[in-house]
Structure formats: C-alpha cells, structure tokens
Amino acid sequence: KYSRANFSDLLAQTRAIATAPQGSLGGKNPVQVGLGSTINSMTRIFSQGSVQNSDKNTDMAIQGDGFFIVTPDGGNTYKYTRSGDFKFDAAGNFVDNNGFIARGWMRDEETGKVDTNNPIQNINIPPGLTTPANATSEIVLKANLNSGALIESFSPSFSVASTPPPSNGVVSPAPFAKDSNGNTVESGDMGVMFNDSGEALGLVDGQGVWISFKASTVGPSVAVGTVAADTNGYIEFQLDDGSKEKVSYTLKAGNTAEQNAAIIADAIDDKQSIIGVTATYDTNGQITLTNDNSSTSAAHNIKITDESNSGFSISTGAANDPGADKTAFKYVYGNSGDTPGFDKGFTTIAELREAMEKEARHVGDNDGAAGAGDGTADESNITISINERGQFVITNPGASDDGDYAMDIKVTGISSNTVSENERFTKVMSSLNTILPIGAGTSLSQSLNVATHSSSIDVFDSLGSKHTLRTEFRKVDVDKWDITVTSPSGTMLNAGYTVTNADGTTKTIDNEARGYITFNEDGSLKNLTIPSVSFTANNGSAPNQPISLSLGSTDSFDGMTSFDNPSSTSGISQDGYTGGDLVGIRIDQSGTLIGSFSNGRSMGLAQVAMAKFTNNEGLSTEGGNIFVQTANSGEPIIGTAATSGRGFIQSSALEASNVDLSRALTQLIIVQRGYQANGKTITTSDQMLQTLIGLKN
C-alpha cells in the first residue's frame, strides 16, 4: 500500500503584525516570511489494488475491506496482512512468506462441518489426509410419475418375481392373490392399467366385457309335428337389456313335421341379428337353438320367456335361472360380489381372473349350478392364470372329468344406453376368442400393463463397499403408486416374509421393502408410507444400517410429483461414500479450503478467518507486508469473508500494489521542478549578497 507524505511549515519570521482598520485607514495583514517546511505525518492509503490471476491454487486476493489473520506463536499474538501468498509447509500448516500460520476454523470430525461460531485456530491440514468411509443414511429422490392417459414407461401387471407385501403392518399395498397354478397375481386397479401401446384402458364403473366359454344351446325340442289347419304361433326371447323380442310363425296344414320345423327355424334365423340365436332342425321336427355369444349388438345366451300353444315347446330351464341357458356372463368393472350364475364384478386383475376361472370350470358340470364353485367332481380342469407378460392364459388340459368340454371362447364388449363400450379393454380381452378342444393348446389375451418408473443408486456400508438399491414405482390406483425398494446384495430388516411356490415349497423374500405414495389433484405429494430400509450387507460391515428415503414434503412440489408428463427422475442423491485420500485443495469465495479426495468426494476442511478494523490507517506496519494493531486502529472484528462489510476472497489470485506508477512519475517531475525552482532562490540570494559586499568595498 502506498503512503502519502503530509507537509507543514516549520517556522515563520514576523516583520509586521496585522493592524485593524482605523477611521478611513484600512487594516493591514501581518507581514511574515516562511523559514522552511517539514513532513508533519504519513498517511497509508488502503485503496483496492488490482487483482492478478496466478497459477497457485492457495493464493488468495481480498476484494474489498479486511485482512488475513496470521500468528507467529500459536495464537498468542495476532498479525494482519493483505498479502495472500499462502502455502502449506512440511507439517501441513497454512503459512505466509514469513512462516506465520493463518488462523481460521477447522472441520469438526464429529459433525463433518466447519463451525465458524467457534474460536479461531491455526489452519493445519495433515499431509496424506484420508477420509474414512461414510455409511449411507439417506436417499433423496425427486421424480415425476406420469398421470396421463398415454405413457412410455410401463411393465406387465404381473411378473413371476412379484411378491406379496409383508404382513407386519408396516406398509399396506393392495393385497395379492394366487392364480390356479399357485403363482402370485399382482393386484391393482384395472381402471388404471394400459395396453401394449401405453394407452390407458380408462375403465369406468359399469364397463366391462361379456365372456362365454361355450355356446348357449337349447334342445332338441319337443317335435313340432303336423297340423290340420294353418296355425299361428310365436316365441318370445328376452334380450340383454330386459326387453323382449317376439318371433312369430305360421305352421302350414299338410306340411310334414320337418317342414314345419323349418318354418320356425327360418323365423328365428330372420331375427338372429337381434336375438343372437340360430336354429337347426332334424327330420323328426325337433329344433335346437344355439347362441355363440359372438355378437355385440344381439342378445347373449338364450332365454325364452313365453311360447304360444301351437303344439311346439322347448325347455330352457336352469336351476338358478329358470327359462335360461346361461353360458355368457357380464364381467363388470366397479361392481362387487360374485353370485353364482349372475353378473360378475371386478376391480383388480386378480378378481377378474378368479371370476373367469370359476365360471369356466363349472359351465360344463352336470349339477345344474353353473359357476357355483361347489368343488364337485364333475367340474372341468380348466385353468386361467396370468403370465409374466401380463396376459390371461386359458388352458383346457382335460382329465376325464364329467365337466370337461371343448371350449368356444367368445369375448364382446358391454354396451348400453347408459354405458359406452370400452373398446381398448374389449380389444385386449377379445384376443382370447378361439376354440380350445380338450387337451389342446392355450388361449392368450393381449398384455395388461401398469405404469412404472424406477431409479437406482449406489449406497455404501460402513466399510465403504458399494451396493445398488433400486426403487420402483407401480401405479395401482388413480392417485396411488406402490413403492418397492430392492437390494440384490443385502437383506432388509423390515422384509423377511414368506412366499409359497406353486410346488408347495416356500421361500423367504428378505431383500425388498414396500410402501406407497398418493398425490393431490394438483399433482403434489399427498401422503406416503416410506419404506424404512434397515440394510445388512452381509460382508462384515455394521448390520441393520438404517437408510431413509426422502421423497419430499406433503402438499408441495419439492420431491415426488404426478403430472401429465413422462415419468422421469430429475434428481437422486445419497450421503454415503467410500474411503479416499486427499488429492487436491481449492478455495472458494468464503475462504473455505475444500479438499478433493480420490473417492470423488469434496468437503470443507477449514475456513480462513478475516479481520476488519474501524481505522485501517491506524495500523502499524512491521515490514514483510505485516500490520499490527495499535491504540488508534480499533479492535479487530473477526468473521468470515463476504460478511459484515468484509470483502470476498478470490482464489488463485494475488492483490497487486495500489501504487500508480504513472501518477507517481508525474508527481516526481513536479517535485523535481519545485526543487529546481527552490534551488534558484538560493543562487539568487547568494548573488545578491555578493553584490552587496561589492558595493561596500
């Protein structure tokens, strides 16, 4: 810092004193002759010097007011400097060019933080510093789960790896069920499932499908016979909506029984598009009615509600529904209950599978109670399961049981005046349409998928070993997603539940933890049950390592969200790391010495303290760019850089002198000219004296 000399006059000779004005005579100023000058004081100018970048990362320049604090004796005395040419000595002390140690705050090993509220101390970073491994204690995840009707990320609604939730009450995802092969069927609301194109099924209450596993057949009837005179008659069929359709005919006198049967059959066939029924007859005049249940617009099943007395009759009785031969059933989304022989309700894929299998097994039995689920020996051996692709799989193995039959599977959509057909769901299920003879092949639906999203991150145990935790989200309701946290290389304390395999064996699932998350109508987080993972790596590290999963705050958007945008993870982090060696140090604007370690971690190791004085000009210099406190400088106000009026620190830079050389040169020329001018006065005075002496002589 440059200094400025402040001059003052030394002495003055008074030749005449000042006089005041008297009467008409004005006053006179004193007559004084200066007798020299002297330097009265020196002022050090603490203006900002220019900052020059350097190639040394421990160089520091102060931008603004303030001084570095150094000590030559362990803190007994403090000295102050703006010279930021610091370095580490052999013992790891952070020193200036005088060997004075910089003062500041060190990292607390227990808290892992630099606490600037503590007293300052010598900054010392031991050579060869290492950081021990830090076990992961928290995973922070921010992601969006797509709430839209078209998704890109989905997976089958069931997979062989699916497992039921633990029974300890920690979490409560929707229950799981077993299919006929003993496999676990993932339960979830089918209204939020998707087809193979990622399009939402969008099922609403009342929508669904008609499914029949064989045609509805009635007959042969009582023979029609002959008539003596033309005879009118009719048959009334009940339609799906409860209305009736009358089929009228006229039997002709003189016709044979076969010819009259043909008249009735033709009349029925003329109305086939309405009643869904076709008729066949034999030479004896016996009529057989068939409804293959393949038409969406026509009625399903055969139900005759009334016949005329024309000499023709046909029985369609069933024990639980007189007057009907019922082989097609409505499977209605949102309904509940499963009364044998009537419409079936379902919400989950597990419920639909169970209801379908029950009817498929009993529709061919001989006890007159279709779908009763009575477990009698005459039921078929048909199985309906869900495979790993989320498809319904119908198998007709046959086993010589009375109830085995050749399957004629027909699926059509439900449509009425109040409920429109769900074409996407119908298309998924109608892929089952086929004929399955006993012991032949399988029938598959299209895949049913659920919206999914997953994120993985490596976590660390107490030894610094790395393990991968995978977090998967699966949509199970309009606003609800299940959470599954899985580790392939460890066990979890709150897992450990048992699954029974198809062959009767059991296995323990000990590497999964489950929870769920729900969202508000604006897509913000509503509620969640977070899996509390207690992880054991089974490698000698500390067991039961707790890891919390932070997904955000309730009613906010700082974590998980559910918008109509593609599912994506915008941020995932964890606080664990393996051990590492110090490989470099950098300094930020606050004066924090940040160490970089070989494990990829960076952490604050120390922070340089700065002092501010009320009167910088009152400081006393000791040389070597060092200042010390004086009585007129005021007490040092110690704190961190860039706070309370202290300047910030620029690393890899040094502050240059604030001396302006061009200005100093200009001032030197002015001084030189002044000196020359003053020198001329001496010469002139000498000449005058010489002349005066010559006059005397």
Side-chain angles (χ1 to χ4, degrees):
K1 300 301 181 184
Y2 81 90
S3 297
R4 182 182 65 204
N6 300 315
F7 292 88
S8 64
D9 56 343
L10 185 61
L11 292 172
Q13 181 181 8
T14 302
R15 296 293 182 89
I17 63 173
T19 61
Q22 296 179 4
S24 59
L25 183 64
K28 295 182 179 180
N29 293 327
V31 178
Q32 292 181 306
V33 178
L35 298 177
S37 63
T38 185
I39 295 177
N40 185 41
S41 65
M42 297 289 293
T43 300
R44 191 174 300 275
I45 306 301
F46 282 92
S47 63
Q48 178 71 47
S50 62
V51 175
Q52 305 294 325
N53 292 328
S54 70
D55 296 327
K56 193 172 70 166
N57 60 350
T58 56
D59 285 345
M60 294 183 292
I62 299 175
Q63 289 268 30
D65 193 12
F67 298 84
F68 299 115
I69 306 171
V70 295
T71 179
D73 51 12
N76 291 326
T77 57
Y78 289 162
K79 299 179 184 296
Y80 309 94
T81 182
R82 287 182 65 91
S83 175
D85 184 7
F86 289 95
K87 60 190 70 67
F88 289 98
D89 65 13
N93 295 310
F94 198 46
V95 299
D96 66 3
N97 287 325
N98 300 305
F100 299 163
I101 301 175
R103 300 284 282 184
W105 301 272
M106 297 298 296
R107 179 175 183 269
D108 189 324
E109 294 299 330
E110 293 184 2
T111 64
K113 298 180 180 180
V114 177
D115 189 352
T116 58
N117 293 317
N118 291 330
I120 60 175
Q121 61 187 107
N122 286 356
I123 295 180
N124 177 274
I125 299 177
L129 178 66
T130 61
T131 178
N134 182 61
T136 300
S137 62
E138 181 184 32
I139 297 175
V140 178
L141 177 61
K142 180 174 176 57
N144 181 66
L145 303 179
N146 195 344
S147 63
L150 183 63
I151 61 173
E152 300 174 356
S153 176
F154 55 88
S155 63
S157 60
F158 165 79
S159 67
V160 294
S162 295
T163 53
S167 59
N168 57 9
V170 174
V171 295
S172 58
F176 282 57
K178 296 293 184 65
D179 67 16
S180 58
N181 297 320
N183 296 322
T184 302
V185 177
E186 181 178 12
S187 190
D189 193 328
M190 290 192 69
V192 297
M193 289 186 179
F194 299 81
N195 61 20
D196 283 334
S197 299
E199 299 170 319
L201 299 183
L203 283 166
V204 298
D205 289 355
Q207 291 183 332
V209 288
W210 285 93
I211 303 179
S212 67
F213 301 101
K214 72 172 186 178
S216 176
T217 304
V218 178
S221 69
V222 174
V224 176
T226 60
V227 292
D230 291 353
T231 304
N232 295 324
Y234 67 87
I235 308 171
E236 280 189 344
F237 293 88
Q238 182 170 309
L239 306 184
D240 292 341
D241 60 5
S243 64
K244 298 177 181 179
E245 181 68 25
K246 180 182 288 188
V247 178
S248 300
Y249 57 85
T250 301
L251 303 183
K252 296 293 184 179
N255 279 355
T256 64
E258 181 179 3
Q259 289 172 328
N260 280 333
I263 291 174
I264 297 176
D266 289 343
I268 292 173
D269 288 345
D270 287 343
K271 295 289 186 77
Q272 194 274 337
S273 62
I274 299 174
I275 62 177
V277 177
T278 59
T280 59
Y281 57 91
D282 60 17
T283 57
N284 297 321
Q286 293 179 312
I287 295 176
T288 299
L289 305 180
T290 303
N291 189 342
D292 66 2
N293 302 309
S294 62
S295 174
T296 300
S297 59
H300 295 76
N301 302 310
I302 301 172
K303 185 173 184 180
I304 300 174
T305 61
D306 193 14
E307 300 173 56
S308 69
N309 186 17
S310 62
F312 165 74
S313 65
I314 186 166
S315 174
T316 61
N320 61 322
D321 192 3
D325 180 62
K326 199 165 189 176
T327 60
F329 294 90
K330 282 184 179 180
Y331 293 84
V332 183
Y333 174 77
N335 287 5
S336 60
D338 183 23
T339 304
F342 291 90
D343 294 342
K344 313 299 175 183
F346 71 93
T347 300
T348 68
I349 192 173
E351 293 170 342
L352 179 57
R353 185 215 64 81
E354 182 180 4
M356 288 172 58
E357 184 177 73
K358 183 180 290 186
E359 290 302 332
R361 286 185 171 184
H362 292 277
V363 74
D365 66 13
N366 298 318
D367 62 4
D374 54 10
T376 55
D378 58 2
E379 63 188 48
S380 71
N381 291 283
I382 294 169
T383 62
I384 300 180
S385 59
I386 312 295
N387 66 11
E388 66 278 1
R389 294 184 59 193
Q391 298 170 296
F392 283 91
V393 182
I394 301 178
T395 306
N396 189 10
S400 302
D401 285 354
D402 293 339
D404 288 332
Y405 61 95
M407 303 183 72
D408 183 5
I409 305 169
K410 292 293 191 308
V411 178
T412 57
I414 294 176
S415 178
S416 69
N417 294 331
T418 58
V419 178
S420 61
E421 179 183 359
N422 189 305
E423 296 180 357
R424 290 175 181 171
F425 182 54
T426 301
K427 184 177 181 180
V428 168
M429 298 301 294
S430 61
S431 294
L432 291 168
N433 292 343
T434 190
I435 294 176
L436 281 183
I438 297 174
T442 59
S443 177
L444 299 173
S445 72
Q446 293 182 8
S447 295
L448 288 158
N449 303 285
V450 293
T452 60
H453 178 66
S454 62
S455 299
S456 297
I457 190 170
D458 290 332
V459 297
F460 297 87
D461 59 29
S462 61
L463 297 177
S465 297
K466 184 167 59 177
H467 310 271
T468 300
L469 284 188
R470 184 174 186 267
T471 303
E472 181 178 12
F473 300 88
R474 297 175 71 84
K475 190 171 187 177
V476 296
D477 209 336
V478 175
D479 61 351
K480 182 178 179 181
W481 296 64
D482 278 352
I483 308 171
T484 302
V485 181
T486 308
S487 170
S489 60
T491 59
M492 298 185 186
L493 187 63
N494 66 336
Y497 46 91
T498 301
V499 175
T500 302
N501 300 317
D503 59 3
T505 61
T506 61
K507 63 178 179 179
T508 299
I509 304 299
D510 58 4
N511 66 338
E512 288 185 1
R514 289 181 177 265
Y516 68 87
I517 183 171
T518 59
F519 296 94
N520 295 308
E521 294 178 351
D522 61 357
S524 62
L525 181 62
K526 179 179 180 181
N527 189 23
L528 70 162
T529 298
I530 302 175
S532 178
V533 179
S534 186
F535 178 74
T536 299
N538 301 322
N539 62 349
S541 61
N544 301 329
Q545 174 184 336
I547 301 177
S548 63
L549 187 60
S550 298
L551 301 180
S553 307
T554 303
D555 299 325
S556 69
F557 303 93
D558 60 353
M560 301 298 300
T561 57
S562 184
F563 302 130
D564 188 359
N565 289 321
S567 295
S568 61
T569 298
S570 57
I572 184 170
S573 62
Q574 57 86 38
D575 59 355
Y577 48 85
T578 188
D581 299 321
L582 182 64
V583 294
I585 292 178
R586 61 182 177 86
I587 303 173
D588 66 11
Q589 289 188 347
S590 68
T592 301
L593 280 67
I594 300 173
S596 300
F597 292 83
S598 58
N599 57 6
R601 306 291 297 187
S602 295
M603 63 184 68
L605 303 177
Q607 186 169 359
V608 175
M610 283 182 60
K612 175 185 175 184
F613 292 90
T614 305
N615 178 23
N616 290 343
E617 297 172 5
L619 295 172
S620 175
T621 180
E622 286 192 347
N625 292 324
I626 294 295
F627 299 93
V628 295
Q629 177 186 352
T630 68
N632 195 40
S633 65
E635 294 293 328
I637 305 172
I638 298 174
T640 59
T643 62
S644 301
R646 287 175 286 270
F648 68 88
I649 292 175
Q650 182 174 340
S651 63
S652 298
L654 291 173
E655 182 185 9
S657 171
N658 62 356
V659 175
D660 187 341
L661 292 179
S662 60
R663 178 183 175 188
L665 179 60
T666 301
Q667 290 177 338
L668 181 61
I669 294 172
I670 294 173
V671 170
Q672 179 189 16
R673 289 178 177 176
Y675 182 81
Q676 289 175 341
N678 280 286
K680 287 296 184 179
T681 62
I682 297 174
T683 302
T684 302
S685 176
D686 182 62
Q687 290 176 350
M688 291 175 65
L689 289 174
Q690 290 295 331
T691 301
L692 181 62
I693 294 172
L695 290 173
K696 184 180 179 181
N697 294 330

